[in-house]
mmCIF file of all heavy atoms in Angstrom:
data_model
loop_
_atom_site.group_PDB
_atom_site.id
_atom_site.type_symbol
_atom_site.label_atom_id
_atom_site.label_comp_id
_atom_site.label_asym_id
_atom_site.label_seq_id
_atom_site.Cartn_x
_atom_site.Cartn_y
_atom_site.Cartn_z
ATOM 1 N N PHE A 58 -55.583 26.905 20.389
ATOM 2 C CA PHE A 58 -55.724 27.109 21.817
ATOM 3 C C PHE A 58 -55.729 28.611 22.053
ATOM 4 O O PHE A 58 -54.740 29.288 21.791
ATOM 5 C CB PHE A 58 -54.576 26.445 22.571
ATOM 6 C CG PHE A 58 -54.653 26.624 24.055
ATOM 7 C CD1 PHE A 58 -55.582 25.917 24.791
ATOM 8 C CD2 PHE A 58 -53.809 27.510 24.696
ATOM 9 C CE1 PHE A 58 -55.662 26.081 26.159
ATOM 10 C CE2 PHE A 58 -53.888 27.679 26.073
ATOM 11 C CZ PHE A 58 -54.808 26.965 26.810
ATOM 12 N N GLU A 59 -56.846 29.114 22.514
ATOM 13 C CA GLU A 59 -57.004 30.533 22.799
ATOM 14 C C GLU A 59 -56.554 31.406 21.627
ATOM 15 O O GLU A 59 -55.784 32.351 21.785
ATOM 16 C CB GLU A 59 -56.250 30.911 24.071
ATOM 17 C CG GLU A 59 -56.837 30.277 25.308
ATOM 18 C CD GLU A 59 -56.130 30.699 26.582
ATOM 19 O OE1 GLU A 59 -55.346 31.661 26.549
ATOM 20 O OE2 GLU A 59 -56.360 30.054 27.597
ATOM 21 N N GLY A 60 -56.958 31.036 20.416
ATOM 22 C CA GLY A 60 -56.666 31.846 19.244
ATOM 23 C C GLY A 60 -55.299 31.615 18.629
ATOM 24 O O GLY A 60 -54.965 32.242 17.632
ATOM 25 N N LEU A 61 -54.488 30.754 19.210
ATOM 26 C CA LEU A 61 -53.168 30.460 18.650
ATOM 27 C C LEU A 61 -53.284 29.302 17.675
ATOM 28 O O LEU A 61 -53.985 28.331 17.935
ATOM 29 C CB LEU A 61 -52.182 30.093 19.760
ATOM 30 C CG LEU A 61 -51.951 31.145 20.829
ATOM 31 C CD1 LEU A 61 -51.076 30.584 21.933
ATOM 32 C CD2 LEU A 61 -51.323 32.384 20.225
ATOM 33 N N SER A 62 -52.598 29.381 16.558
ATOM 34 C CA SER A 62 -52.651 28.280 15.599
ATOM 35 C C SER A 62 -51.668 27.191 16.025
ATOM 36 O O SER A 62 -50.614 27.466 16.593
ATOM 37 C CB SER A 62 -52.326 28.776 14.196
ATOM 38 O OG SER A 62 -51.029 29.308 14.163
ATOM 39 N N ALA A 63 -52.023 25.965 15.753
ATOM 40 C CA ALA A 63 -51.176 24.828 16.091
ATOM 41 C C ALA A 63 -50.122 24.641 15.017
ATOM 42 O O ALA A 63 -50.356 24.920 13.841
ATOM 43 C CB ALA A 63 -52.030 23.566 16.221
ATOM 44 N N GLN A 64 -48.936 24.168 15.430
ATOM 45 C CA GLN A 64 -47.851 23.866 14.510
ATOM 46 C C GLN A 64 -47.228 22.547 14.916
ATOM 47 O O GLN A 64 -47.232 22.182 16.090
ATOM 48 C CB GLN A 64 -46.790 24.955 14.544
ATOM 49 C CG GLN A 64 -47.261 26.291 14.042
ATOM 50 C CD GLN A 64 -46.147 27.330 14.100
ATOM 51 O OE1 GLN A 64 -45.079 27.081 14.623
ATOM 52 N NE2 GLN A 64 -46.406 28.488 13.553
ATOM 53 N N SER A 65 -46.668 21.847 13.940
ATOM 54 C CA SER A 65 -45.973 20.600 14.228
ATOM 55 C C SER A 65 -44.740 20.886 15.068
ATOM 56 O O SER A 65 -44.094 21.922 14.916
ATOM 57 C CB SER A 65 -45.562 19.916 12.927
ATOM 58 O OG SER A 65 -46.692 19.562 12.174
ATOM 59 N N GLY A 66 -44.424 19.956 15.951
ATOM 60 C CA GLY A 66 -43.239 20.097 16.797
ATOM 61 C C GLY A 66 -43.141 18.934 17.760
ATOM 62 O O GLY A 66 -43.897 17.968 17.676
ATOM 63 N N THR A 67 -42.186 19.024 18.646
ATOM 64 C CA THR A 67 -42.024 18.004 19.674
ATOM 65 C C THR A 67 -42.117 18.672 21.034
ATOM 66 O O THR A 67 -41.909 19.875 21.176
ATOM 67 C CB THR A 67 -40.665 17.271 19.569
ATOM 68 O OG1 THR A 67 -39.616 18.213 19.730
ATOM 69 C CG2 THR A 67 -40.529 16.551 18.245
ATOM 70 N N CYS A 68 -42.433 17.864 22.024
ATOM 71 C CA CYS A 68 -42.449 18.358 23.396
ATOM 72 C C CYS A 68 -42.106 17.201 24.328
ATOM 73 O O CYS A 68 -42.097 16.041 23.921
ATOM 74 C CB CYS A 68 -43.810 18.955 23.746
ATOM 75 S SG CYS A 68 -45.150 17.760 23.810
ATOM 76 N N LEU A 69 -41.787 17.549 25.549
ATOM 77 C CA LEU A 69 -41.568 16.543 26.578
ATOM 78 C C LEU A 69 -42.752 16.550 27.510
ATOM 79 O O LEU A 69 -43.171 17.602 28.000
ATOM 80 C CB LEU A 69 -40.291 16.835 27.368
ATOM 81 C CG LEU A 69 -38.977 16.627 26.632
ATOM 82 C CD1 LEU A 69 -37.812 17.030 27.534
ATOM 83 C CD2 LEU A 69 -38.822 15.197 26.192
ATOM 84 N N LEU A 70 -43.302 15.381 27.736
ATOM 85 C CA LEU A 70 -44.425 15.228 28.649
ATOM 86 C C LEU A 70 -44.041 14.164 29.660
ATOM 87 O O LEU A 70 -43.833 12.997 29.296
ATOM 88 C CB LEU A 70 -45.695 14.827 27.886
ATOM 89 C CG LEU A 70 -46.950 14.637 28.706
ATOM 90 C CD1 LEU A 70 -47.342 15.951 29.388
ATOM 91 C CD2 LEU A 70 -48.088 14.146 27.837
#
Side-chain angles (χ1 to χ4, degrees):
F58 180 74
E59 293 183 13
L61 301 174
S62 61
Q64 295 180 353
S65 297
T67 61
C68 67
L69 289 177
L70 180 62

